[in-house]
């Protein structure tokens, strides 16, 4: 039998699609400029109608728009799973915290610490991101051809709070922008299942879990099988239609996000350990280093869980019953990496698409990031899909926003690897804090030499 060559990973395919998309986009951009400058604009119009034209635009009734159709079909496939994914995953996440009598205090400390770390991450990303946004680093100089939009309707911003509680369940589920309403329904369902108990809600929980599994399989299939092709056509169309202006803000987004993730991973968690437990943070970083490497290389919180559990208990001195509760819960609830990426990415997209972002709208973005990330499933590209949930929730959905979102899909793989690492280490950090506060941390083990 012939040895089968190992297939390239999704990250490699994404990278190839990114490179080919940029190359093709530059070639089309050069062709466009050459044809227009030589008086052959009609030829370019024909090429544009066949490949790139938005077929929903006025006067485009005879256009084919092949690249536009492929890109939009991919985007719509992601939109298709937003509401069911958010609803099932958050309902299940809340519904798993059932033994409140014996773990009530530990649950409260765990969730509170997760949220506190999350707020620190949001604050860091919000300050840096809004500063860059106001300084114009995310702006695209030429927005001609894009749908003009300010991102606001002039209505009272408190309507966002009011609309969190839907008056009609069917309406909430049929509207991709009603994300907060879906989160409210999911949290309510999860809490109600906890009150009723495991016996009465076993069938419902199994149904939600199976539905969530189907959604993850669908999402995995769409991103894995069609993601590279979609990235190629989205990037090609971006540069062919709007040019190189998107590269600079995309580079600013990537560099800023990576720096903030690394800063929070090293300095942020060190401060959290020192302030929250009065322990030496250097010992924590040294012992968690192997988990950092493993989580980054696998880009999977689930895959890193066994090593994280072993390291947290055997080398950091956390009691097994604390680590066994906090670490699995952190796979779903603790999303510090998502907070940083999604805030910076949303501001980058807003800048590219011509939307205005105020401190109040940034607060809404942060709230959406918080509640949407709670149920992020362990699937490739899930963080980017949650990002689309946030964009839909704040109304950043014009053509420029979708093009910028396509760029993020292409370049986000290493960033998502860092996000996963941040989330995994954050769960271990929380375990140390909870164990210390409960008197279940072995300080001698924590302070022992690194194995």
């Amino acid at each position: 039998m012939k040895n089968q060559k190992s297939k390239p990973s999704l990250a490699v395919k994404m990278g190839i699609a990114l490179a080919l998309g940029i190359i093709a986009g530059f070639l089309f951009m050069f062709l466009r400029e050459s044809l227009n400058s030589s008086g052959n604009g009609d030829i370019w119009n024909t090429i544009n109608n066949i490949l790139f034209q938005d077929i929903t635009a006025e006067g485009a009734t005879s256009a084919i728009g092949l690249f536009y159709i492929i890109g939009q079909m991919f985007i719509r496939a992601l939109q298709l799973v937003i509401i069911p994914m958010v609803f099932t995953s958050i309902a299940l996440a809340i519904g798993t915290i059932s033994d409140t009598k014996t773990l009530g205090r530990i649950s409260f400390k765990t969730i509170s610490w997760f949220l506190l770390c999350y707020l620190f991450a949001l604050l860091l990303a919000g300050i840096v991101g809004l500063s860059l946004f106001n300084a114009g680093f995310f702006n695209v100089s030429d927005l001609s051809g894009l749908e003009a939009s300010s991102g606001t309707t002039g209505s009272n911003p408190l309507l966002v709070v009011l609309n969190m509680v839907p008056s009609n369940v069917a309406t909430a589920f049929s509207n991709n922008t009603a994300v907060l309403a879906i989160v409210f329904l999911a949290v309510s369902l999860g809490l109600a299942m906890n009150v009723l108990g495991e016996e009465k809600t076993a069938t419902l929980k199994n149904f939600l879990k199976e539905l969530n599994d189907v959604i993850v399989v669908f999402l995995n299939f769409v991103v894995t099988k069609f993601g590279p092709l979609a990235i190629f056509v989205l990037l090609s169309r971006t540069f062919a239609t709007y040019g190189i202006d998107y590269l600079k803000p995309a580079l600013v987004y990537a560099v800023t996000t990576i720096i903030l993730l690394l800063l929070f991973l090293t300095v942020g968690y060190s401060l959290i350990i020192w302030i929250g437990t009065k322990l030496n943070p250097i010992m924590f970083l040294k012992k968690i280093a192997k988990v950092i490497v493993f989580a980054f290389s696998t880009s999977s919180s689930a895959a890193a869980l066994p090593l994280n559990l072993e390291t947290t208990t055997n080398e950091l001195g956390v009691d097994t019953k604390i680590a066994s509760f906090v670490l699995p819960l952190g796979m779903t609830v603790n999303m510090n990496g998502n907070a940083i990426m999604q805030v910076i990415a949303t501001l980058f997209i807003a800048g590219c698409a011509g939307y205005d972002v105020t401190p109040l709208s940034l607060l809404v973005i942060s709230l959406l990031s918080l509640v949407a990330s709670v149920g992020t499933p362990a699937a490739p590209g899930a963080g980017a899909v949650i990002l689309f949930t946030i964009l839909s929730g704040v109304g950043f959905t014009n053509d420029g926003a979708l093009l910028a979102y396509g760029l993020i899909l292409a370049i986000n793989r290493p960033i998502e690897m860092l996000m996963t690492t941040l989330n995994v280490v954050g769960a271990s950090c929380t375990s140390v804090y909870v164990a210390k506060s409960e008197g279940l941390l072995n300080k001698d083990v924590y302070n022992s030499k690194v194995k």
Side-chain angles (χ1 to χ4, degrees), residues 16 22 26 50 65 89 117 123-124 160-161 187 190-191 198 204 234 273 292 297 330 343 385 388 404 426 432 445:
I16 294 173
I22 292 175
F26 272 115
I50 294 173
S89 54
C117 294
L123 184 62
L124 175 65
V160 174
V161 179
V187 171
L191 293 175
E198 182 68 30
L204 178 58
L234 286 168
I273 286 288
I292 291 176
S297 59
V343 169
V385 177
F388 204 95
V432 173
V445 173

Side-chain angles (χ1 to χ4, degrees), residues 189-447:
L189 179 62
L191 293 175
M193 288 192 297
N194 282 340
V195 173
L196 291 173
E198 182 68 30
E199 185 176 344
K200 291 184 178 180
T201 60
T203 302
L204 178 58
K205 284 184 179 179
N206 287 335
F207 170 74
L208 291 174
K209 185 179 184 305
E210 291 171 2
L211 180 58
N212 186 257
D213 290 341
V214 170
I215 292 168
V216 170
V217 170
F218 174 81
L219 177 60
N220 188 19
F221 178 79
V222 169
V223 173
T224 303
K225 301 299 182 183
F226 300 103
L229 175 61
I231 285 171
F232 172 77
V233 299
L234 286 168
L235 283 178
S236 299
R237 182 174 181 268
T238 297
F239 293 118
T241 307
Y242 302 112
I244 199 173
D245 290 328
Y246 281 85
L247 274 182
K248 179 182 175 182
L251 181 62
V252 173
Y253 155 74
V255 172
T256 301
T257 305
I258 290 173
I259 290 175
L260 290 182
L261 289 172
L262 290 174
L263 185 65
F264 201 89
L265 180 64
T266 54
V267 180
Y269 283 137
S270 296
L271 289 174
I272 289 171
I273 286 288
W274 180 67
I275 294 173
T277 66
K278 305 302 181 184
L279 295 170
N280 183 359
I282 303 300
M283 297 303 298
F284 175 80
L285 290 177
K286 286 182 178 179
K287 293 183 177 181
I288 207 67
K290 64 173 78 68
V291 179
I292 291 176
V293 174
F294 190 81
F296 180 81
S297 59
T298 60
S299 189
S300 170
S301 299
L305 180 61
L307 178 61
N308 198 17
L309 185 61
E310 179 185 358
T311 304
T312 302
T313 54
N314 296 341
E315 297 187 40
L316 293 174
V318 176
D319 188 89
T320 302
K321 64 181 175 226
I322 297 293
S324 298
F325 172 76
V326 175
L327 295 183
L329 185 62
M331 287 172 51
T332 305
V333 177
N334 182 53
M335 294 291 168
N336 302 324
N338 294 54
I340 293 174
M341 183 278 284
Q342 287 161 358
V343 169
I344 301 295
T346 304
L347 289 168
F348 156 68
I349 291 172
C352 288
Y355 288 97
D356 184 33
V357 177
T358 64
L360 180 60
S361 56
L362 182 61
L363 181 62
V364 174
I365 291 169
S366 300
L367 179 61
L368 282 170
S369 174
L370 171 62
V371 296
S373 295
V374 167
T376 302
V385 177
I386 291 298
L387 172 60
F388 204 95
T389 303
I390 298 170
L391 297 178
S392 300
V394 294
F396 294 173
T397 55
N398 70 8
D399 195 31
L402 295 181
L403 289 171
Y405 177 70
L407 270 177
I408 286 180
L409 285 177
I411 65 179
N412 221 44
R413 181 59 179 171
I415 292 175
E416 286 204 346
M417 294 167 74
L418 267 177
M419 287 163 51
T420 301
T421 304
L422 211 67
N423 298 339
V424 169
V425 175
S428 180
C429 175
T430 301
S431 295
V432 173
Y433 162 74
V434 174
K436 174 71 162 47
S437 66
E438 291 290 316
L440 296 173
L441 178 73
N442 190 325
K443 293 183 181 179
D444 293 333
V445 173
Y446 181 92
N447 292 315

